[in-house]
């Protein structure tokens, strides 16, 4: 499995790294945060998602025929950011421009919980229609998406930025973020309120003095013409953009790898890489919007920029794991997602391995203070099949088994350490004293344990027998135990 496929699945209290916002568990992101007043500034579109099946070619041309199953509409661009924040429970004002047509009326109807302060766009409302067959994008159809003139700005639009806790500029290159009156208002607000700017290659430069801009790697490359790849490229690009734009920080997002934050400090430029939680993800549409929204919420809550970006990265990962834009549909039930992953991510890995004819291996334990014995046992277990899922006792479970002084490390740290091992593909946290219910959820082919006993003596043997799974033991390494290691450390201390 690649690193992007490896997933941690949390029981009670599982969380990610970074600010408190990074540890939230919600389908769309930051629903657990306090209610904030947030202004979203930018271009608004109408997005249409057409999904269906295709089993034949057209008789008129060698093109697939799509039998439409769903036709979902939502506010796009800045409207998508506003939708996310409103679903999180925040008081959202959308500052934008809209045309005088049926599509604009549809957008207003799709944002019932958002205060819309809109000036006239003077052009038709742009519509982007994506046609998908299953998980595959077939075509995107754009209507009215030519770049229009910079729109006029009303006094109500600039006044809407006063008294808010944060501002997000969602620039989609259609001129709202380039309007001089709005830029002046944003600069005024940025002196005392966090402003997050999500730039666009065809849009305007961020206003000087804002807190942070969030270009993706492709956008950062176009803005700077800097070569290279990965973190080294992102480090150079962030530093260059901080200087060029004269802003506090730049977070270059790197897809499922995370983000690189470059910011000014009293001692000069500081660079910090913030890895993304490992989740299985599908359609990435809206992930950048989700990240920018999470950053703004965290900044408004008092986080510094690196911790705020960590929260945004975690929110974007949770959003993708929950199904992306499909999780935002009005009739979609929320799907709880625990960062850095969830049972669904482990199940996806299991499904992928089984679909390829592979063998799923599981093992379990407390893994409190990882030592060489653990590493050898896990490596041996992984060698038995094509993926290894570790069933990890939660903190409460460890206390039940080991007493009130244990665990030594929290389950979040234990999940992170286990996932750092190349031999571990996923971690599932369970609260019970035995992993039987967790095992029944994904039914491994093999249950592996290290020990000086036979396979039929293992208590999980009866559970594995329910679906024909096998129980095996791997080499036991005497003289290595968490209790002995803890005692030795205590003696040294």
């Amino acid at each position: 499995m690649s690193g992007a496929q490896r997933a941690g699945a949390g029981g009670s209290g599982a969380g990610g790294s970074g600010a408190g916002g990074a540890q939230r568990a919600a389908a769309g992101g930051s629903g657990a945060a306090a209610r904030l007043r947030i202004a979203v500034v930018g271009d608004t579109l109408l997005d249409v998602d057409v999904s269906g099946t295709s089993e034949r070619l057209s008789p008129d041309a060698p093109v697939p025929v799509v039998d439409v199953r769903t036709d979902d509409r939502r506010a796009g661009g800045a409207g998508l950011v506003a939708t996310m924040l409103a679903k999180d429970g925040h008081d959202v004002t959308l500052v934008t421009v809209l045309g005088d047509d049926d599509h604009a009326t549809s957008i207003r109807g799709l944002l019932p919980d958002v205060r819309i302060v809109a000036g006239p766009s003077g052009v038709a409302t742009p519509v982007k229609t994506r046609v998908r067959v299953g998980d595959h994008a077939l075509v995107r159809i754009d209507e009215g998406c030519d770049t229009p003139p910079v729109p006029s700005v009303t006094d109500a639009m600039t006044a809407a930025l006063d008294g808010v806790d944060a501002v997000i500029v969602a620039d989609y290159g259609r001129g709202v973020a380039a309007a001089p009156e709005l830029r002046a208002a944003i600069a005024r607000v940025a002196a005392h309120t966090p402003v997050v700017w999500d730039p666009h290659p065809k849009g305007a430069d961020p206003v000087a003095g804002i807190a942070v801009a969030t270009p993706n790697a492709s956008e950062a490359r176009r803005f700077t013409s800097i070569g290279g790849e990965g973190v080294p490229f992102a480090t150079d690009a962030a530093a260059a953009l901080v200087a060029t734009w004269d802003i506090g920080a730049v977070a270059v997002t790197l897809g499922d790898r995370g983000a690189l934050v470059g910011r000014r400090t009293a001692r000069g430029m500081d660079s910090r890489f913030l890895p993304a939680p490992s989740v299985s993800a599908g359609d990435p549409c809206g992930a950048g919007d989700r990240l920018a929204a999470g950053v703004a919420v965290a900044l408004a809550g008092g986080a510094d920029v690196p911790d705020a970006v960590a929260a945004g990265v975690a929110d974007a990962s949770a959003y993708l794991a929950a199904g992306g834009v499909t999780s935002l549909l009005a009739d979609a039930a929320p799907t709880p997602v625990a960062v850095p992953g969830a049972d669904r991510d482990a199940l996806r890995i299991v499904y992928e391995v089984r679909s390829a004819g592979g063998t799923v291996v599981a093992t379990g334990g407390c893994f409190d203070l990882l030592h060489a014995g653990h590493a050898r046992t896990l490596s041996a277990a992984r060698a038995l099949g094509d993926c290894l899922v570790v069933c990890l006792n939660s903190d409460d479970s460890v206390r039940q088994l080991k007493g009130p002084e244990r665990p030594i490390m929290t389950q979040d740290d234990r999940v992170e350490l286990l996932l750092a091992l190349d031999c571990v593909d996923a971690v599932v946290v369970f609260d019970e004293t035995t992993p039987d219910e967790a095992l029944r959820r994904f039914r491994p082919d093999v249950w592996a344990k290290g020990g000086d006993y036979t396979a039929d003596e293992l208590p999980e043997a009866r559970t594995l027998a329910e679906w024909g799974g096998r129980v095996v033991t791997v080499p036991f390494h005497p003289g290595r135990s968490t209790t002995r290691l803890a005692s030795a450390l205590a003696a040294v201390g």
Side-chain angles (χ1 to χ4, degrees):
M1 289 291 158
S2 67
Q5 292 175 304
R6 292 163 53 199
S12 60
S17 60
Q23 298 184 9
R24 293 187 295 266
S30 45
R35 183 178 177 87
L36 298 169
R37 295 166 299 172
I38 302 178
V40 180
V41 179
D43 312 293
T44 302
L45 327 169
L46 178 63
D47 283 340
V48 181
D49 285 329
V50 175
S51 180
T53 60
S54 180
E55 298 177 351
R56 66 190 189 281
L57 294 177
S58 169
D60 305 317
V63 295
V65 175
V66 178
D67 292 314
V68 175
R69 294 291 184 266
T70 61
D71 183 344
D72 298 315
R73 294 166 182 259
R74 66 179 186 278
L80 179 58
V81 182
T83 299
M84 293 172 173
L85 291 165
K87 281 187 173 288
D88 291 343
H90 298 297
D91 182 357
V92 183
T93 298
L94 174 61
V95 180
T96 189
V97 295
L98 291 173
D100 184 16
D101 52 29
D102 290 342
H103 292 319
T105 301
S106 295
I107 288 173
R108 291 180 183 275
L110 291 165
L111 296 169
D113 300 320
V114 174
R115 176 187 174 222
I116 301 175
V117 181
S121 70
V123 296
T125 301
V127 182
K128 294 187 177 182
T129 303
R130 300 190 310 163
V131 181
R132 300 178 67 85
V133 174
D135 293 331
H136 302 286
L138 185 64
V139 66
R140 194 182 86 182
I141 303 167
D142 288 2
E143 304 171 63
C145 292
D146 292 339
T147 303
V150 174
S152 301
V153 173
T154 66
D155 291 342
M157 292 168 67
T158 57
L161 304 186
D162 295 330
V164 298
D165 298 304
V167 175
I168 302 172
V169 179
D171 189 356
Y172 274 74
R174 295 185 58 81
V176 171
E181 300 90 344
L182 261 181
R183 293 178 67 82
I186 292 168
R188 171 174 51 80
V189 170
H192 51 75
T193 301
V195 176
V196 178
W197 195 294
D198 192 8
H200 189 279
K202 295 182 179 180
D205 287 350
V207 169
I210 66 164
V212 59
T214 59
N216 62 35
S218 176
E219 291 163 347
R221 196 179 309 281
R222 293 183 66 175
F223 294 141
T224 64
S225 299
I226 291 175
E229 299 291 338
V231 170
F233 154 75
T235 302
D236 292 343
L241 291 173
V242 166
T244 299
W245 289 337
D246 190 21
I247 61 179
V250 169
V252 178
T253 61
L254 301 170
D256 61 6
R257 295 185 62 188
L260 186 288
V261 177
R263 60 171 179 157
R264 288 174 173 160
T265 69
R267 294 180 293 179
M269 280 296 299
D270 172 65
S271 297
R272 190 175 305 184
F273 176 62
L274 301 165
S278 297
V279 297
S280 299
D283 183 3
C285 178
D289 298 305
R290 179 72 263 181
L291 182 140
V295 173
V297 168
L299 288 174
D304 65 7
V305 169
D307 280 350
V309 174
V313 168
D315 280 354
S317 297
Y319 161 82
L320 290 172
V325 291
T326 60
S327 67
L328 301 175
L329 296 177
D331 57 352
T335 304
V337 176
V339 177
D343 277 8
R344 62 183 290 161
D345 300 298
L347 290 172
R348 284 177 180 171
I349 291 174
V350 169
Y351 175 79
E352 290 168 2
V353 169
R354 286 218 171 96
S355 296
T359 298
V360 177
V361 182
T363 190
C366 299
F367 297 98
D368 196 9
L369 289 184
L370 279 175
H371 52 69
H374 289 145
R376 292 178 184 178
T377 297
L378 291 167
S379 180
R382 179 61 173 80
L384 295 171
D386 300 286
C387 74
L388 176 63
V389 180
V390 176
C391 297
L392 181 71
N393 293 77
S394 70
D395 290 347
D396 288 340
S397 176
V398 174
R399 279 189 284 270
Q400 293 178 55
L401 294 170
K402 306 287 187 179
E405 301 302 320
R406 300 282 290 274
I408 298 167
M409 295 193 302
T410 67
Q411 68 192 43
D412 295 349
D413 288 345
R414 290 182 285 131
V415 167
E416 187 170 345
L417 286 171
L418 285 167
L419 288 174
L421 302 175
D422 288 340
C423 57
V424 176
D425 297 286
V427 178
V428 174
V429 180
F430 64 94
D431 286 316
E432 302 78 18
T433 55
T434 65
D436 296 283
E437 290 308 312
L439 291 171
R440 290 187 177 102
R441 289 198 293 274
F442 63 94
R443 298 191 170 200
D445 303 300
V446 178
W447 174 255
K449 286 286 283 186
D452 53 355
Y453 35 67
T454 61
D456 57 6
E457 293 174 327
L458 287 168
E460 295 82 11
R462 182 176 299 177
T463 303
L464 268 289
E466 294 175 8
W467 55 85
R470 295 172 294 161
V471 177
V472 300
T473 59
V474 293
F476 175 64
H477 303 283
R480 295 169 177 84
S481 74
T482 297
T483 301
R484 179 174 297 185
L485 181 58
S487 297
L489 290 172
V492 172

